[in-house]
Amino acid sequence: MSHARLQQPHRKPIDREGHPRAALDAGAVRDAYRRWAGVYDEVFGGVSGAGRRRAVAAANRLPGTRVLEVGVGTGLALPLYDPRKRVVGIDLSRDMLRRARDRVARERLSNVIGLVEMDAEAMAFEDASFDIAVAMFTATVVPDARRLFREMRRVVRPGGELLFVNHFAAEGGLRWWAERTLAPLSRVLGWHPDFALTDLLEDPRQAVEIDPCPPFGLFTLVRVPNLSLA
């Protein structure tokens, strides 16, 4: 990611409700996912599987063949896409991408036409390059989720669709307490445990679908039409 946008170490960022939050930057994300890459599938593959399947099923139903998966990771979702979809995946972690490429080769996924190391907040793609953009468990990782959202809007054609699957913070109770307690450890974990929907969408009414996924509604599918600003 662009070093011009990295938050300085001495700053103490807070979330939109005033709670302490550890800053994430490109180095922190790379370091975290270098640690996770070798065990990611085993540790997170099962618990995140239902949300992943829900997101890809939604993408498969949508019109258009050009799909961008933002934060493709180890490529767990890639075998689930309809073979008629032409999928490009991007990720900041070279270690995760290496495993995604191995998966594509092993499973002969000829519809995956590119896996690229790229900054999700400053993509190299031209405007309107895709029909659909999917970000699964990615919005909590990037330093600025709203910048991610704007970039996804830019690279998806008007009338296309943006799909997100993510953990969003509870509004109260024991889970709320746990998420706030873990928030200062974001740099170690590699994501923000206290991430809220308003960290991604300035106005949640932009979403036409907000659908909790198993298990226990821990993850939520959010679908946002890419409406023209004109």
Side-chain angles (χ1 to χ4, degrees), residues 22 30 32 34 38 40 46 55 94 102 114 129 142 149 190 203 230:
R30 285 194 180 97
R34 186 177 301 114
Y40 184 89
R94 192 169 300 172
D102 289 344
S129 293
V142 298
F149 178 74
D203 183 355

Side-chain angles (χ1 to χ4, degrees), residues 81-93:
Y81 287 99
D82 187 312
R84 292 169 293 185
K85 300 293 188 186
R86 313 300 289 172
V87 182
V88 174
I90 67 169
D91 205 284
L92 189 63
S93 170

Side-chain angles (χ1 to χ4, degrees), residues 67-212:
V67 178
L68 172 66
E69 186 174 327
V70 180
V72 68
T74 63
L76 279 169
L78 294 176
L80 304 176
Y81 287 99
D82 187 312
R84 292 169 293 185
K85 300 293 188 186
R86 313 300 289 172
V87 182
V88 174
I90 67 169
D91 205 284
L92 189 63
S93 170
R94 192 169 300 172
D95 299 271
M96 301 286 270
L97 282 171
R98 187 179 302 115
R99 286 165 173 78
R101 294 188 183 105
D102 289 344
R103 189 185 306 277
V104 168
R106 184 171 62 250
E107 303 199 23
R108 300 181 180 180
L109 302 176
S110 59
N111 63 321
V112 178
I113 60 175
L115 291 170
V116 187
E117 185 178 345
M118 189 180 294
D119 180 356
E121 295 183 34
M123 299 185 213
F125 303 117
E126 295 183 357
D127 295 357
S129 293
F130 299 94
D131 302 302
I132 304 159
V134 188
M136 292 175 272
F137 320 109
T138 300
T140 51
V141 172
V142 298
D144 187 338
R146 289 190 183 175
R147 189 188 295 269
L148 165 70
F149 178 74
R150 291 193 296 271
E151 270 295 90
M152 289 174 65
R153 288 199 65 188
R154 182 185 67 79
V155 302
V156 169
R157 63 170 173 81
E161 299 269 357
L162 312 181
L163 295 168
F164 301 88
V165 170
N166 222 86
H167 167 77
F168 296 104
E171 296 182 0
L174 182 61
R175 204 181 95 190
W176 176 91
W177 177 86
E179 289 162 348
R180 294 302 185 272
T181 301
L182 288 170
L185 300 177
S186 296
R187 290 179 65 88
V188 176
L189 295 170
W191 66 84
H192 290 298
D194 57 339
F195 187 80
L197 182 58
T198 50
D199 287 318
L200 176 65
L201 303 179
E202 185 172 352
D203 183 355
R205 291 175 298 180
Q206 294 170 277
V208 297
E209 182 179 350
I210 301 176
D211 185 18

Side-chain angles (χ1 to χ4, degrees), residues 31-50:
D31 287 346
Y33 283 91
R34 186 177 301 114
R35 293 190 297 269
W36 286 116
V39 297
Y40 184 89
D41 292 4
E42 291 76 14
V43 174
F44 296 105
V47 71
S48 62

